Amino acid sequence: MDLWGLTTLILLAGVLLLIFLSQWSQGLKRGKLPPGPTPLPFLGNILQLDLKDMTASFSQLAEKYGPIYTLYFGSQRIVVLHGYKIVKEALIDQGDAFADRGSIPIFDDVIKKKGVAFGDGESWKQVRRFSLMTLRNFGMGKRSIEERVQEEAQCLVEELRKTKCKPTDPISILACAPCNVICSILFHDRFKYNDEKFMHLLKLLNENFQLLNSRWAQLYNFLPGFRLFLPGIYKMHFKIVEELKHFILERVKEHQKVLHPTNPQDFIDCYLSKMQQEKDNPHSEFDLENLVMTGVNLFVAGTETTSSTLRYGLLFILKHPEIQAKIHEEIDRMIGHNRAPSIKDRQDMPYMDAVVHEVQRFANIAPLNLAHAVTRDIHLQQYFLPKGTTIFPLLFPILFDSKEFPNPERFDPKHFLDKNGKFKKSDYFMPFSIGKRSCLGEGLARMELFLFFTTILQNFTLKSVGDPNEIRINSKEVRITNIPPFYELCFLPR
Ligand code: HEM
C-alpha cells in the first residue's frame, strides 16, 4: 500500500473510532441503556456472535443479560428484545414508539426509505393504510382476493400433475403460485409457469433472497463501517432492485394508458386513482416512486416467504405420514373431491388449521424479525432507549417458547389443538410479528397457505423418495431467514 492509501486508512480508522467512542460514551453518560457485552472498537460485539447461527448466540446472550440487552454491530447500537413479554411490551403496549424501521444498511443504501416496507413517518403511515385497505379487497373490482388465490391453487395442482409421480424438486413450482397471486393483485394478470419473463422475475426474486441471506450481506449489515470494502454486494442488490422497479414501471405505464378511475381492477389502478384524487395536494405521499417501490416490496416480501413456508410444510408432512393421513381424512370428510377448498372451510377443519399454524411456527421463516427503531426517546422497563435506536424484536424465542409449546423442537400440530381436537389459539403464534409494523400481507399469506396446502393434499398423496425417518428438516445456516433444505418428493394423484 502506498503512503496515500495508508494515510487514508488511518484517517478512516480515526473517524470510525471517534464515532464509536462518542456513541458509546453517550450511552454510558445516560447510564440507563440495557446491559450487554463490552464492545470492541470498530467491530463492536460481532466476534461474540456465531454468524452461521445467530439464534444460538442471541439466546446465550439472553441467558446472561436477560430479555433486553444492548449489542454493537460495528459502531451501531442495537437493543435486542428476547421473549414474549418484552416484545409485547414494546410492539403492542408502546406500539407508536417502536414503529420506525430500523437501519438495515443494504436496504438503506439501495431503497432509501421509499415504499412501504422501509419507509417511515407520514409517508409510510399513509401508504401502509392504503395498501392494507386494498389488500382487504376494498375497491379492486369484482374478483375477490380469495377467488384469485383459488384460481392459482388449481393451476398449481395442474402443474404438479405434470410431474407424473416422478421425484420432483418443488422449489420452482411452489415459487410460481405465490408470485402469480401478487401479479394478480398488483396488475390483474398471471403468467404461465413456463413463461420466460416470469421465470426471469422469479430468478431475480430468488437471487435477491440468496444475496440478502449471504455471509457478505451479513457483514455489510453488521459492520456498516466496512461497507466501503464490499461494493459488490451493493452493486448486485442495486441491479436486482432496478430490474424489479423497471418490471413494475412497465406495468404502471400500461395502466396509465387505459385507467378507468371509477372501475379499478387491481392495486396499481387503485393507487393511480388515489394519485389523481390527490393531484392538487402538494404534500401528497402518493407519488410514482412510492408506488413502484411498494410494488417491489410486495413481490420481495410476498413471494419467497410464502413459497419457503410451502416448501417447509410439504417437507414436514412428508416426514410424518401419520399427520398426512389425518389431513386426508379431514379433507375427505369436510370437502370431498368435487369442489375446490374455500377459506370458509377453515373454521370446520381444526386439524388442517392446526397443521398450517404448526408449519409456520416450526418453519420460523423470519427468526430475527425485521429491525425496528424507536421514533423518540423512550423508557422500556427500567431502561432508556434514545430516539433512533435500532431494535431487534426477535420472533424465534417466542415461536419456540417451551412453556407455551411443550417440546418446541418437535413438529406437532397438537401445539394448536385442545384435548377435544378443537383448534387452540396461541398469543405466541407470531411468525408475522405484531404491532404497527407487523406483516402487511398476513391476511393474504394465511389465506394462501390454507388454500394451497388444502388443495394440494385434496389432490395428491405426498410420497418421500427414501425413508421418511431419514429426512433432514433443518436449515444448514440461520441468517436473516430460514431456507428449507433441498429435497425431492413424488406427487401421487388421489
Ligand atoms: C408466510 C409468509 C410471510 C411471513 C412469515 C411474513 C413475515 C413478515 C415479517 C416477520 C415482517 C416484519 C414485521 C415487523 O417488522 O415487525 C413482515 C413485513 C412485511 N411483509 Fe410479510 N410475511 C409473509 C408474507 C407476506 C406477503 C404475502 C406479503 C405481500 C402482500 C408481505 C408483505 C410484507 C410487507 C409489505 C412488510 C413490511 C410492513 C411494514 O414495514 O409496514 N408479507 N412480514
Side-chain angles (χ1 to χ4, degrees):
M1 191 184 288
D2 62 12
L3 190 62
W4 177 240
L6 189 65
T7 318
T8 316
L9 200 65
I10 292 172
L11 276 176
L12 188 69
V15 171
L16 285 174
L17 182 63
L18 281 177
I19 296 174
F20 171 79
L21 288 177
S22 104
Q23 283 217 1
W24 196 33
S25 66
Q26 262 179 38
L28 285 182
K29 258 188 251 154
R30 286 171 177 152
K32 288 182 196 156
L33 279 171
T38 309
L40 294 171
F42 309 125
L43 296 172
N45 300 108
I46 210 78
L47 298 181
Q48 281 131 303
L49 300 173
D50 175 358
L51 297 186
K52 275 194 194 151
D53 187 357
M54 302 283 284
T55 59
S57 302
F58 282 133
S59 291
Q60 279 156 16
L61 288 166
E63 270 172 35
K64 186 155 180 201
Y65 298 102
I68 169 167
Y69 56 88
T70 307
L71 283 181
Y72 287 84
F73 290 171
S75 61
Q76 193 196 349
R77 182 192 302 132
I78 312 282
V79 169
V80 178
L81 309 182
H82 191 285
Y84 174 79
K85 200 167 158 284
I86 190 81
V87 168
K88 186 180 157 286
E89 241 176 276
L91 301 193
I92 299 288
D93 303 347
Q94 301 205 58
D96 281 326
F98 283 83
D100 270 358
R101 183 56 76 214
S103 162
I104 307 175
I106 186 82
F107 296 135
D108 298 349
D109 291 352
V110 174
I111 295 173
K112 302 197 190 307
K113 298 268 173 203
K114 277 281 168 190
V116 70
F118 300 102
D120 276 332
E122 199 47 35
S123 165
W124 163 73
K125 248 187 219 160
Q126 291 206 24
V127 178
R128 179 168 167 113
R129 193 178 309 129
F130 166 85
S131 307
L132 270 175
M133 290 275 281
T134 313
L135 285 174
R136 280 186 195 140
N137 242 357
F138 290 103
M140 270 215 309
K142 285 205 189 74
R143 279 182 71 230
S144 68
I145 289 187
E146 180 176 4
E147 282 171 283
R148 294 170 206 236
V149 178
Q150 282 174 316
E151 175 191 338
E152 199 54 47
Q154 294 307 322
C155 299
L156 173 63
V157 162
E158 288 322 306
E159 252 351 268
L160 293 174
R161 274 193 213 293
K162 291 185 195 158
T163 62
K164 297 199 171 4
C165 308
K166 291 204 194 97
T168 303
D169 169 6
I171 188 163
S172 146
I173 300 180
L174 292 182
C176 291
C179 190
N180 255 337
V181 171
I182 302 286
C183 292
S184 170
I185 289 173
L186 266 183
F187 46 81
H188 200 215
D189 202 0
R190 64 175 297 280
F191 292 93
K192 290 213 170 93
Y193 284 22
N194 57 4
D195 183 289
E196 256 179 47
K197 214 170 194 170
F198 192 44
M199 289 287 111
H200 184 65
L201 174 65
L202 285 167
K203 193 169 148 266
L204 280 181
L205 291 169
N206 186 267
E207 273 174 10
N208 190 48
F209 203 62
Q210 302 284 350
L211 174 73
L212 297 177
N213 226 25
S214 69
R215 191 167 305 179
W216 293 113
Q218 215 173 9
L219 274 183
Y220 193 104
N221 285 331
F222 293 169
L223 286 177
F226 284 67
R227 62 188 144 175
L228 289 177
F229 303 106
L230 296 166
I233 294 295
Y234 171 82
K235 274 192 202 144
M236 272 149 74
H237 189 230
F238 182 80
K239 187 171 160 287
I240 294 173
V241 172
E242 284 303 304
E243 271 205 60
L244 289 171
K245 278 166 68 177
H246 179 72
F247 174 81
I248 289 169
L249 196 58
E250 272 182 12
R251 299 290 171 302
V252 172
K253 284 185 186 152
E254 285 163 14
H255 278 57
Q256 279 174 321
K257 281 187 212 146
V258 291
L259 179 66
H260 299 292
T262 49
N263 186 24
Q265 295 298 316
D266 50 43
F267 189 96
I268 293 182
D269 273 351
C270 292
Y271 193 102
L272 291 174
S273 305
K274 183 86 182 162
M275 271 174 73
Q276 275 201 352
Q277 284 163 24
E278 300 221 343
K279 67 179 186 311
D280 297 327
N281 172 5
H283 306 296
S284 172
E285 304 294 348
F286 292 88
D287 56 19
L288 271 188
E289 218 185 334
N290 243 342
L291 167 58
V292 170
M293 197 47 97
T294 298
V296 172
N297 291 159
L298 295 185
F299 267 114
V300 171
T303 299
E304 284 288 336
T305 45
T306 313
S307 76
S308 293
T309 310
L310 288 170
R311 236 151 75 225
Y312 260 130
L314 297 190
L315 183 64
F316 302 153
I317 294 170
L318 208 55
K319 191 168 173 68
H320 296 276
E322 73 291 355
I323 292 179
Q324 180 165 199
K326 286 190 189 163
I327 297 174
H328 279 151
E329 186 280 321
E330 189 177 64
I331 291 177
D332 295 350
R333 185 162 40 84
M334 300 313 302
I335 306 177
H337 288 260
N338 299 324
R339 68 168 177 90
S342 73
I343 207 65
K344 243 176 68 207
D345 293 316
R346 188 162 56 184
Q347 69 202 38
D348 303 319
M349 298 178 67
Y351 195 74
M352 191 66 206
D353 203 6
V355 169
V356 177
H357 277 75
E358 181 66 352
V359 165
Q360 282 212 267
R361 184 193 74 80
F362 202 64
N364 183 22
I365 289 292
L368 311 183
N369 205 345
L370 283 182
H372 286 224
V374 285
T375 54
R376 52 185 160 84
D377 288 355
I378 56 145
H379 285 92
L380 183 63
Q381 297 190 343
Q382 69 271 43
Y383 302 114
F384 174 75
L385 311 181
K387 178 178 174 176
T389 302
T390 297
I391 309 291
F392 273 33
L394 305 178
L395 297 181
F396 77 88
I398 305 172
L399 295 172
F400 283 76
D401 185 296
S402 59
K403 287 203 193 88
E404 179 71 4
F405 303 112
N407 276 329
E409 302 294 336
R410 214 183 120 84
F411 176 77
D412 185 356
K414 286 209 269 315
H415 285 135
F416 293 94
L417 290 169
D418 69 13
K419 54 183 184 319
N420 300 317
K422 294 245 165 2
F423 179 75
K424 183 175 74 177
K425 252 178 99 166
S426 166
D427 289 342
Y428 286 59
F429 176 77
M430 47 175 93
F432 299 103
S433 186
I434 47 170
K436 306 257 177 223
R437 203 88 215 200
S438 69
C439 176
L440 184 84
E442 171 169 355
L444 172 66
R446 293 182 65 175
M447 180 187 285
E448 287 185 77
L449 293 174
F450 179 80
L451 291 177
F452 287 153
F453 278 129
T454 310
T455 312
I456 292 174
L457 285 146
Q458 179 189 39
N459 287 279
F460 300 101
T461 299
L462 312 181
K463 189 172 169 301
S464 63
V465 176
D467 178 355
N469 294 317
E470 303 286 305
I471 294 175
R472 189 174 69 80
I473 52 179
N474 296 329
S475 279
K476 264 199 258 152
E477 296 181 355
V478 186
R479 297 184 198 276
I480 293 186
T481 57
N482 257 314
I483 301 181
F486 168 84
Y487 69 97
E488 289 187 320
L489 80 169
C490 306
F491 293 90
L492 311 182
R494 301 181 64 216

